[in-house]
Amino acid sequence: MTTDEATKNEGEVQTAALAEQGEDITPNQDRGVLKIVKRPGNEEKSPMIGDKVYVHYKGKLANGKKFDSSRDRNEPFIFSLGKGQVIKAWDIGVATMKKGEICHLLCKPEYAYGSAGSVPKIPSNATLFFEIELLDFKGEDLFEDGGIIRRIKRKGEGYSNPNEGATVEIHLEGFYGGRIFDCRDVTFIVGEGEDHDIPIGIDKALEKMQREEYCILYLGPRYGFGDAGKPKFGIKANAELVYEVTLKSFEKAKESWEMDTKEKLEQAAIVKEKGTVYFKESKYMQAVIQYGKIVSWLEMEYGLSERESKEAESFLLAAFLNLAMCYLKLREYIKAVECCDKALGLDQVNEKGLYRRGEARLLMNEFELAKCDFQKVLDVNPQNKAAKTQITVCQKKMKEHNERDRRIYANMFKKFAERDAKEASRAVGESEVEKATCEEGLKAPVTEGKV
């Protein structure tokens, strides 16, 4: 029997076994995806929609011919479950697996590559066989900073999401320290959840949810109740929280292009006041949302009358300055500098803009640039005592930084010198040994008959 014949026989046996013994895991029970577990997993949990999953796999045609293998590449395959990044059979099959499990899947064409196939390896209307090992899975990191992890228990409807300012109706359950601390239906405006004792992480996550979606959210302290905690719920400072959230319905807020200039200016006054209230309560992320609305509405607004232009510029200047202050509090110094630059673009001698940019640069260890900003503050207002103090701080920091650099370089050069001295000493020693050996050779008598 040839190798091809053996491969064909093996493929036919595996396909027949799956067809006869495999479990139908399709939602419609149409036997389009059949599964056999070859090695059970070592955990009870399975991946959810949106999870990032890590697998090894081998793919074969029904005749046993291998067309792909991650093991041959010695590299796991990674994809987001239930997002249409892989064939339908995989989204169905991997969702049933446990971590560490190895299974076989038999996939009919309509759950694989259909009539189109995948040229040149997979022909039209091909039934495919897969061996899959689920190595690991983890929740979806919504903002790629580890602060909000989402795991979708039920996929939502459609493709529309709430936006900032949308009115949402949700059901939520909050968990902390092994207990449930909040359970209710609530209607509120996205970006203003804090007014209803809802942490900012819920507001942020809702902008990525669809109607009727049911998900679990893991919130880090930054997206929870932060340094203040929430005594009302018995939650300590910097606590990690878990919420289960269902988005029951929502009504989008007007987008910028749906509002005329008059409405934008009226709304700018309202959200500016809301932002200031949040800022005074040390709710800086919520304040950022409010001030950010002013920028989104007015920064690219054209064709204004002289009065409207002055009013819009005043709102924008206040928004950029207040955003810079929020970002300083949030320790996002690069964003603070960017907002100050925008403010100074509107008013190049703005005292607050120069001072706050100097603060951000000082905290980024850009001492020379910070000193320049504080000096410009004094050029605008020679009586600004805070700027004078900050210049002294910059000079002190620059001196400390230079002295530290000198020590580092001195130690570095000392080590280089010691290494060079050792190498030179070793070279001298080897030279002396070589010279002595040579002299010994010259002194030695030549034996008769030998050269």
Side-chain angles (χ1 to χ4, degrees), residues 178-213:
R179 64 181 175 84
I180 183 167
F181 65 84
D182 196 4
C183 178
R184 57 189 158 128
D185 292 324
V186 58
T187 300
F188 65 100
I189 294 172
V190 174
E192 300 176 21
E194 180 61 40
D195 297 346
H196 301 265
D197 299 312
I198 295 170
I200 189 67
I202 303 295
D203 294 84
K204 294 285 188 183
L206 281 166
E207 292 185 53
K208 294 181 178 288
M209 293 176 65
Q210 278 107 33
R211 194 184 311 272
E212 292 300 330
E213 180 179 317

Side-chain angles (χ1 to χ4, degrees), residues 29-98:
Q29 293 292 288
D30 58 11
R31 296 187 64 78
V33 185
L34 302 176
K35 175 187 175 184
I36 291 179
V37 176
K38 302 303 290 185
R39 186 184 74 192
N42 48 33
E43 291 183 6
E44 285 303 309
K45 293 181 180 178
S46 295
M48 296 182 187
I49 297 166
D51 282 4
K52 184 177 285 188
V53 296
Y54 301 74
V55 301
H56 264 312
Y57 70 92
K58 286 187 289 187
K60 298 179 182 179
L61 301 177
N63 62 11
K65 183 179 180 181
K66 183 170 68 177
F67 61 84
D68 196 10
S69 170
S70 64
R71 294 191 183 280
D72 290 350
R73 296 188 294 274
N74 197 30
E75 184 178 12
F77 179 65
I78 306 168
F79 68 98
S80 295
L81 187 66
K83 298 288 188 177
Q85 296 178 1
V86 290
I87 60 174
K88 193 185 295 186
W90 272 44
D91 273 337
I92 294 170
V94 175
T96 68
M97 297 178 70
K98 315 292 185 188

Side-chain angles (χ1 to χ4, degrees), residues 336-355:
V337 169
E338 289 172 353
C339 289
C340 288
D341 287 342
K342 294 271 191 178
L344 292 166
L346 296 169
D347 177 7
Q348 61 183 354
V349 291
N350 186 275
E351 191 173 345
K352 289 180 180 178
L354 290 168
Y355 187 87

Side-chain angles (χ1 to χ4, degrees), residues 4 21 85 94 127 137 241 273 277 375 399 421 433 437 440:
D4 288 345
Q21 303 169 22
Q85 296 178 1
V94 175
T127 295
F137 58 87
L241 308 174
E273 186 59 36
V277 171
Q375 186 58 57
K399 185 178 178 182
V433 169
T437 303
E440 283 293 322

Side-chain angles (χ1 to χ4, degrees), residues 230-243:
K230 184 62 76 170
K232 174 180 178 178
F233 293 141
I235 294 172
K236 296 179 180 178
N238 297 314
E240 295 186 349
L241 308 174
V242 179
Y243 276 88

Side-chain angles (χ1 to χ4, degrees), residues 188-415:
F188 65 100
I189 294 172
V190 174
E192 300 176 21
E194 180 61 40
D195 297 346
H196 301 265
D197 299 312
I198 295 170
I200 189 67
I202 303 295
D203 294 84
K204 294 285 188 183
L206 281 166
E207 292 185 53
K208 294 181 178 288
M209 293 176 65
Q210 278 107 33
R211 194 184 311 272
E212 292 300 330
E213 180 179 317
Y214 169 34
C215 68
I216 304 172
L217 298 172
Y218 300 85
L219 306 183
R222 175 182 174 84
Y223 292 97
F225 292 115
D227 296 338
K230 184 62 76 170
K232 174 180 178 178
F233 293 141
I235 294 172
K236 296 179 180 178
N238 297 314
E240 295 186 349
L241 308 174
V242 179
Y243 276 88
E244 293 190 8
V245 179
T246 302
L247 176 56
K248 299 173 77 173
S249 66
F250 67 90
E251 183 179 341
K252 278 186 171 249
K254 280 187 178 181
E255 298 290 356
S256 180
W257 55 269
E258 296 176 294
M259 303 164 66
D260 61 25
T261 300
K262 181 183 176 184
E263 187 176 1
K264 289 178 182 179
L265 291 171
E266 289 172 350
Q267 288 300 310
I270 293 170
V271 299
K272 180 187 174 187
E273 186 59 36
K274 285 182 181 177
T276 302
V277 171
Y278 282 134
F279 184 87
K280 288 178 178 178
E281 294 175 352
S282 300
K283 297 168 182 174
Y284 305 119
M285 293 183 77
Q286 288 87 344
V288 163
I289 290 172
Q290 300 305 321
Y291 296 134
K293 289 178 183 179
I294 297 174
V295 175
S296 69
W297 291 334
L298 298 176
E299 188 175 24
M300 304 302 288
E301 189 75 353
Y302 301 108
L304 307 183
S305 68
E306 185 177 348
R307 181 189 61 79
E308 289 172 336
S309 182
K310 285 182 179 179
E311 196 174 350
E313 188 172 301
S314 175
F315 278 126
L316 281 170
L317 181 60
F320 286 129
L321 291 172
N322 292 340
L323 281 167
M325 197 66 194
C326 290
Y327 286 129
L328 281 169
K329 296 291 187 181
L330 293 167
R331 300 179 183 177
E332 296 186 37
Y333 305 127
I334 293 175
K335 288 183 179 179
V337 169
E338 289 172 353
C339 289
C340 288
D341 287 342
K342 294 271 191 178
L344 292 166
L346 296 169
D347 177 7
Q348 61 183 354
V349 291
N350 186 275
E351 191 173 345
K352 289 180 180 178
L354 290 168
Y355 187 87
R356 289 171 189 175
R357 189 171 69 179
E359 281 189 297
R361 285 172 165 173
L362 178 56
L363 291 164
M364 292 165 67
N365 294 334
E366 295 178 349
F367 307 124
E368 191 65 51
L369 289 172
K371 181 185 171 187
C372 288
D373 279 334
F374 293 128
Q375 186 58 57
K376 288 176 183 176
V377 172
L378 292 179
D379 293 341
V380 174
N381 178 12
Q383 305 305 315
N384 192 314
K385 293 180 180 179
K388 292 177 182 177
T389 301
Q390 292 288 44
I391 287 174
T392 303
V393 171
C394 288
Q395 291 170 336
K396 183 181 176 183
K397 292 284 187 182
M398 288 164 67
K399 185 178 178 182
E400 290 173 356
H401 185 76
N402 291 336
E403 287 175 354
R404 186 164 59 250
D405 282 351
R406 276 198 294 272
R407 285 196 300 271
I408 290 170
Y409 290 129
N411 289 335
M412 191 185 302
F413 291 136
K414 183 180 178 182
K415 288 178 182 177

Side-chain angles (χ1 to χ4, degrees), residues 104-122:
H104 288 172
L105 296 180
L106 187 65
C107 317
K108 285 187 177 179
E110 54 267 35
Y111 288 91
Y113 292 96
S115 59
S118 182
V119 180
K121 293 184 177 180
I122 300 172

